[in-house]
Amino acid sequence: MTATGLRSLFSRHDLLSFAVLALLLIVVFPLALDVFRLGLIGKYLTYAFVALGLVLCWGYGGVLSLGQGVFFGIGGYMMAMFLKLESSDPESTAIQSTPGIPDFMDWNQITELPWFWEPFYSFGFTLLAVIVVPTVFAYLIGVAMFKRRVSGVYFAIITQSIALILTILIIGQQGFTGGVNGITDLRTLLGWNIRSDFAKYVFYFICVALLLACVVIAQFIRKSKFGRILVALRDAEDRIRFSGYDVANFKVFVFCVGAAFSAIGGAMFTLQVGFMSPSFIGIVPSIEMVIFCAVGGRLSLFGAVYGAVLVSWARSIFSESFPELWLFAMGALFIGVVLAFPNGLAGLYDQYARSHVTKVLDRWVDQLSRSDSTRTVQGVAHERQ
């Protein structure tokens, strides 16, 4: 995208926020952190994809989904299936009763690779499936719910139930999914060792590039006519319906976009962490993902990224000392955000700091324009001489 295109999508302040975020992720973190800490940041950024989708669904569309872990997990499992097949070649699995299939299938006395695993020998198909499968699933859920005008707390509870059902299904089908342990022992991607330090750096930068691209896509949606209708739908759904718009279609579309973003995050999580399990699909992780969005600010795309990183970092630090208290701390954090600063960190920034930053930015732009004008006048005078 050209600089002119970016300026049409982002205001001056938003463009500054985008530049600061890109600088932090591309320059500051890689230079300041060792490979282990940078890998942790990369892991936290995979949750930011989910938070971005929730900003569009919940913040702008008024569609609160408590089951985004479903799409995060589906994307992660799609990528894990490809990686597992690559590491389960006949030579590597020669000691199994049935060489050439994943180890957990052999443990469960399955003697032939299931038909739905076969396409995941193809990396191209896997990349396509990471986006298409969760999006189609979200479309089916959205049509079934929104066409029947199911919304609000009822929709949130249903998505939560879907997350629970999918978790139980994955655990119950241990021979096909790896059960409660998930799909583990992932070693290579197209013959390349994904556990090396170099691979961790590469996956981190790929994750950052995809995240910034998703921010631009989300900003495009927000600034478009669709985004304006989405906000109006959130504030006055009946008025939008009486104006002739199909409210259900708008909700289905934004729900599918959120699912696609979440799935990309899940696939990158699998690549960076090296496994995928049902523990990232259920009710608790899905609620955590909502908290990422709420803490960062459910009306701010940039706040969602910062919220995902900060809350995930806090969870890592807090759970090291008080692992059994993290769930209580998470609940208290959510309640505190709702009561004290409902617009999250982005709301606090807008209330206390944005005006000062804008003044400094305007002063800096004015100085630049004056210096440019002075150089132009001096150049014209020099040419006349």
Side-chain angles (χ1 to χ4, degrees), residues 154-184:
Y154 302 103
F155 179 78
I157 292 174
I158 290 173
T159 54
Q160 199 172 53
S161 302
I162 293 172
L164 180 60
I165 291 170
L166 186 59
T167 303
I168 295 173
L169 179 63
I170 291 175
I171 294 175
Q173 299 298 317
Q174 180 172 317
F176 302 115
T177 63
V180 69
N181 294 323
I183 301 178
T184 59

Side-chain angles (χ1 to χ4, degrees), residues 46-48 50-51 54 65-73 159-160 163-164 167 262 269 276-293 308 311-312 315 326-327 330:
T46 62
Y47 301 134
V50 187
L54 282 169
S65 171
L66 296 181
Q68 292 302 100
V70 168
F71 310 114
F72 183 86
T159 54
Q160 199 172 53
L164 180 60
T167 303
S262 300
F269 178 91
M276 175 53 68
S277 76
S279 61
F280 299 102
I281 295 178
I283 294 175
V284 172
S286 294
I287 293 177
E288 286 183 350
M289 293 167 184
V290 174
I291 293 177
F292 297 155
C293 178
V311 175
S312 298
R315 177 181 58 185
W326 167 245
L327 291 180
M330 181 178 65

Side-chain angles (χ1 to χ4, degrees), residues 160-382:
Q160 199 172 53
S161 302
I162 293 172
L164 180 60
I165 291 170
L166 186 59
T167 303
I168 295 173
L169 179 63
I170 291 175
I171 294 175
Q173 299 298 317
Q174 180 172 317
F176 302 115
T177 63
V180 69
N181 294 323
I183 301 178
T184 59
D185 195 28
L186 308 177
R187 296 188 292 269
T188 61
L189 173 65
L190 301 176
W192 182 48
N193 182 13
I194 65 173
R195 298 178 177 180
S196 66
D197 289 347
F198 178 70
K200 294 182 185 300
Y201 277 107
V202 171
F203 287 142
Y204 171 81
F205 284 109
I206 292 175
C207 183
V208 169
L210 290 174
L211 180 62
L212 294 178
C214 287
V215 169
V216 173
I217 293 171
Q219 182 73 358
F220 174 79
I221 293 174
R222 190 175 75 87
K223 287 286 188 177
S224 66
K225 179 182 178 181
F226 174 86
R228 294 191 292 272
I229 294 175
L230 204 62
V231 173
L233 184 154
R234 178 199 65 194
D235 296 335
E237 180 175 327
D238 289 337
R239 182 176 298 178
I240 295 299
R241 182 178 288 111
F242 295 150
S243 299
Y245 291 100
D246 191 330
V247 169
N249 287 341
F250 284 94
K251 290 185 176 182
V252 169
F253 177 80
V254 75
F255 187 54
C256 289
V257 171
F261 283 1
S262 300
I264 295 172
M268 290 307 306
F269 178 91
T270 299
L271 287 171
Q272 294 185 90
V273 178
F275 75 95
M276 175 53 68
S277 76
S279 61
F280 299 102
I281 295 178
I283 294 175
V284 172
S286 294
I287 293 177
E288 286 183 350
M289 293 167 184
V290 174
I291 293 177
F292 297 155
C293 178
V295 170
R298 65 189 182 98
L299 296 176
S300 171
L301 299 175
F302 304 106
V305 177
Y306 292 121
V309 174
L310 290 175
V311 175
S312 298
W313 175 79
R315 177 181 58 185
S316 298
I317 298 300
F318 194 86
S319 60
E320 288 176 3
S321 303
F322 310 100
E324 69 281 357
L325 296 180
W326 167 245
L327 291 180
F328 297 98
M330 181 178 65
L333 179 63
F334 187 70
I335 295 173
V337 167
V338 172
L339 294 179
F341 46 104
N343 290 326
L345 297 176
L348 292 178
Y349 171 78
D350 288 339
Q351 184 175 357
Y352 297 106
R354 179 163 183 161
S355 59
H356 301 290
V357 174
T358 302
K359 290 178 182 178
V360 172
L361 185 61
D362 290 340
R363 190 180 304 119
W364 180 65
V365 171
D366 289 341
Q367 290 176 352
L368 284 179
S369 60
R370 289 174 184 174
S371 61
D372 289 341
S373 300
T374 302
R375 292 194 193 99
T376 302
V377 171
Q378 291 175 348
V380 171
H382 180 72

Side-chain angles (χ1 to χ4, degrees), residues 115-131:
W115 63 269
F116 56 86
W117 273 74
E118 291 282 352
F120 289 94
Y121 277 116
S122 168
F123 185 58
F125 175 85
T126 300
L127 293 180
L128 186 64
V130 164
I131 302 295

